Amino acid sequence: VWTVLLMFLIIYSVSLCITQLVTDYRLALTPELRSDPGRAARIDDLERYFGSLLRCMLSLFEAITGGMDWDTLVVPLMEEVSPALGAVLVIYVAIAVLAIMNVVTGVFVDSVLASAKADKEQYLLNNAREIFKTVDEEMDWAAFQGKMETPQMLEFFRGIDVDPSEAQGIFSLIDLDESGSINADEFLNGCVKLQGPSKALETAVLLQEVRSLRRHIASMEK
């Protein structure tokens, strides 16, 4: 919303400046200048593209969205009104296309990526639920290993970008209470935390080792 509002304010401000200067120029034209064959076409272009504030805003919007070649707008401004006014239009196009439009594109891309991530997470959760449908409330290592060749389990590990060959280590990481079995909640929470590149898995391994070391130290103190 803020990006669209910023775009509107820039188009409005530049249009207000151009429309005012073009109107002043048109009012100062003498009948002789208007009837000059060499200038008549450019004067008509000024009236067509910059004759009113709304028409000027539309022309500037078309210049950055592909509705009109911006060179068509620059030529009458530079040759009839002022080269400086043509430079203003060029600067406006550069800022709008190179900066603001990229921001707008980035906003939409981020929105699409966030939606895709949410869809992927929902798919993984549904897939994990399917895995636990055929077992009891908890699954030990033997049952977990037996599930490793099922399409649902392979697809799940592929989705979280974790190598299935590391299944035993992953089972130990997921089994936070070290009970020798995991339930659906432990499986879902643990695997989602492991989702991503190797850094996520390495971090989880490090945390597991730290917890084991703390328990070992605590037992020695006793």
Side-chain angles (χ1 to χ4, degrees):
V1 176
W2 290 107
T3 305
V4 175
L5 180 59
L6 177 61
M7 175 70 72
F8 174 80
L9 290 177
I10 291 177
I11 293 177
Y12 175 79
S13 301
V14 177
S15 298
L16 192 63
C17 173
I18 293 177
T19 302
Q20 183 62 51
L21 293 176
V22 170
T23 300
D24 292 342
Y25 172 80
R26 290 168 55 202
L27 293 176
L29 284 175
T30 62
E32 291 78 11
L33 291 176
R34 288 182 178 272
S35 61
D36 185 353
R39 309 179 68 173
R42 293 193 296 269
I43 294 174
D44 289 342
D45 288 340
L46 289 176
E47 296 179 356
R48 180 183 303 110
Y49 300 129
F50 311 105
S52 66
L53 179 60
L54 292 178
R55 185 61 182 88
C56 184
M57 292 179 65
L58 177 60
S59 298
L60 295 186
F61 179 75
E62 291 178 328
I64 61 174
T65 56
M68 179 186 303
D69 187 358
W70 60 268
D71 183 65
T72 303
L73 303 176
V74 170
V75 171
L77 290 177
M78 296 187 66
E79 295 186 359
E80 289 297 326
V81 183
S82 171
L85 193 56
V88 170
L89 182 58
V90 171
I91 293 173
Y92 154 77
V93 172
I95 293 176
V97 173
L98 300 180
I100 299 178
M101 294 301 289
N102 284 339
V103 172
V104 173
T105 303
V107 170
F108 282 106
V109 170
D110 288 342
S111 176
V112 172
L113 292 178
S115 177
K117 181 180 179 181
D119 292 341
K120 180 180 179 181
E121 291 178 352
Q122 185 61 41
Y123 169 76
L124 292 176
L125 292 176
N126 293 334
N127 200 3
R129 293 191 183 98
E130 289 293 328
I131 294 173
F132 271 82
K133 275 185 177 180
T134 57
V135 298
D136 297 330
E137 293 184 358
E138 294 194 352
M139 179 167 51
D140 59 12
W141 163 241
F144 186 84
Q145 188 177 23
K147 287 284 184 180
M148 287 305 302
E149 298 301 325
T150 62
Q152 292 87 351
M153 185 70 84
L154 292 176
E155 183 65 25
F156 186 85
F157 274 81
R158 189 180 301 112
I160 63 175
D161 195 19
V162 174
D163 191 347
S165 64
E166 301 173 351
Q168 187 168 6
I170 293 172
F171 182 86
S172 300
L173 294 175
I174 297 174
D175 185 18
L176 297 179
D177 56 4
E178 297 185 349
S179 63
S181 62
I182 58 175
N183 55 35
D185 290 335
E186 285 180 316
F187 182 72
L188 291 174
N189 294 332
C191 286
V192 169
K193 290 179 181 178
L194 297 177
Q195 183 177 353
S198 58
K199 289 183 179 179
L201 181 58
E202 292 169 358
T203 302
V205 172
L206 180 60
L207 291 175
Q208 179 72 6
E209 291 177 352
V210 170
R211 284 193 293 265
S212 299
L213 181 60
R214 290 178 60 184
R215 285 192 295 269
H216 179 68
I217 294 176
S219 63
M220 292 178 62
E221 291 178 349
K222 294 179 180 179

